[in-house]
Amino acid sequence: MNELPSFDYLLGSDDAEHERLIRQARHFAPFTERFFREAGIGPGQRVLDLGSGVGDVTMLVGKLVGPSGEVVGIERDERSLALARARAKEARQRNVSFLRSDVTQISTNRPFDAVVGRFILQFLPHPVGVLRSAVQLLNPGGIVAFQEPSFAAFVHLCPHLPLWSAGAALIHETGRRAGVHLEMGFALHKMFQEAGLPPPKMHLDVPLGSDPDFTRWVYDVIRTLVPRMQELNVSAEPLGDLATLRERLHQEIVSANAVVPVLPLVGAWTHTSAT
């Protein structure tokens, strides 16, 4: 099997991270579906999903394009691919498939009508180059639609919740030290144009909630990041005992009768030239 070029992915791909991604995807699904519909994703289209992970975005788009359409998810990690394929098979989504490939080395025997992605460009060392490569795989007038985060909005939304804010700040600092583009969402406006695309239409969505499944998001991400935090000399001391962090975070939110966000989604979409 050919080796793919390597880059240092912050979040890993163990079983706990896969479970976290699936939980996270449930919170994002309504916002991502609405965004893709607005961008023009619909029945009969052939769509490319970059960085498909465990398959949530690919399967969501599969439902939008219907049985007459097709979605191909591109993923580097073998374990993530195996889980994505198993989930699609269990869901009986025969119009989706997954391909192991680097996002800059995709080969196809026929073009796509759209390329999409969620939380992928922020991790790539050359996102503009990836966009340029993806555009070459599209039919004229094809759709380019990505959702990426704004950590600034996330970090500053709940200053009245000190433990939650401390967790958000540590996630932000770990990503910064690891070289993640933490404001990729707002950067999409410039990056689309640098890739030769028209200026995108854009909006910001912030999922909010207070139930235990929702409020565990910061805990889940911190748990995934602990090894990297240690490598990058980011101290988790402000959070106290990590074994009780999930319960303490939820209790803080309940006591304040508050809602909290998961990561804000900046959506940007445009069309390639029709000729």
Side-chain angles (χ1 to χ4, degrees):
M1 182 175 294
N2 294 332
E3 290 297 320
L4 301 181
S6 63
F7 66 90
D8 194 15
Y9 178 59
L10 181 64
L11 294 169
S13 62
D14 62 14
D15 290 345
E17 172 59 11
H18 287 167
E19 292 168 4
R20 185 195 73 80
L21 286 172
I22 293 169
R23 283 194 297 272
Q24 174 179 274
R26 290 198 297 267
H27 303 309
F28 289 142
F31 301 91
T32 299
E33 179 176 348
R34 185 174 66 218
F35 167 65
F36 285 154
R37 288 185 186 277
E38 177 188 0
I41 305 294
Q45 292 178 340
R46 187 169 191 255
V47 181
L48 179 67
D49 174 24
L50 298 186
S52 53
V54 296
D56 289 285
V57 170
T58 307
M59 291 190 291
L60 185 155
V61 177
K63 294 176 181 177
L64 295 180
V65 302
S68 62
E70 178 188 5
V71 188
V72 178
I74 298 298
E75 175 56 47
R76 300 167 50 89
D77 180 67
E78 288 280 17
R79 295 185 74 255
S80 298
L81 280 168
L83 179 56
R85 288 167 178 152
R87 296 178 70 208
K89 182 177 181 180
E90 182 179 3
R92 299 182 179 180
Q93 283 195 249
R94 298 181 178 88
N95 64 341
V96 306
S97 61
F98 298 92
L99 174 67
R100 184 174 188 259
S101 173
D102 185 81
V103 292
T104 62
Q105 298 178 353
I106 304 166
S107 61
T108 181
N109 55 10
R110 61 190 181 95
F112 294 90
D113 300 302
V115 59
V116 303
R118 185 173 70 194
F119 291 173
I120 174 63
L121 298 177
Q122 63 176 325
F123 295 112
L124 301 180
H126 304 293
V128 172
V130 169
L131 285 172
R132 287 196 187 111
S133 296
V135 167
Q136 300 304 310
L137 304 174
L138 295 180
N139 285 313
I143 300 165
V144 181
F146 284 83
Q147 285 184 317
E148 294 288 334
S150 170
F151 274 85
F154 172 64
V155 168
H156 297 296
L157 276 174
C158 295
H160 58 296
L161 300 172
L163 184 60
W164 177 273
S165 295
L170 288 180
I171 293 169
H172 181 276
E173 180 61 14
T174 304
R176 186 190 70 80
R177 295 191 189 187
V180 177
H181 195 315
L182 298 170
E183 293 306 315
M184 178 57 75
F186 286 102
L188 290 174
H189 181 263
K190 179 180 180 182
M191 289 191 174
F192 272 41
Q193 293 173 82
E194 289 179 349
L197 292 163
K201 296 182 179 180
M202 301 180 67
H203 56 72
L204 173 68
D205 290 303
V206 186
L208 298 169
S210 60
D211 63 86
D213 186 60
F214 197 96
T215 63
R216 68 181 291 172
W217 190 86
V218 159
Y219 164 76
D220 278 349
V221 177
I222 291 288
R223 182 183 61 179
T224 292
L225 288 179
V226 164
R228 297 305 306 274
M229 292 170 68
Q230 294 169 346
E231 292 173 14
L232 297 166
N233 296 314
V234 178
S235 174
E237 185 176 350
L239 302 179
D241 184 1
L242 295 184
T244 62
L245 177 61
R246 178 180 168 188
E247 292 76 16
R248 289 184 290 116
L249 281 166
H250 184 64
Q251 187 55 51
E252 178 182 68
I253 295 159
V254 170
S255 297
N257 195 18
V259 294
V260 291
V262 292
L263 203 54
L265 295 152
V266 181
W269 68 271
T270 191
H271 288 269
T272 63
S273 172
T275 57

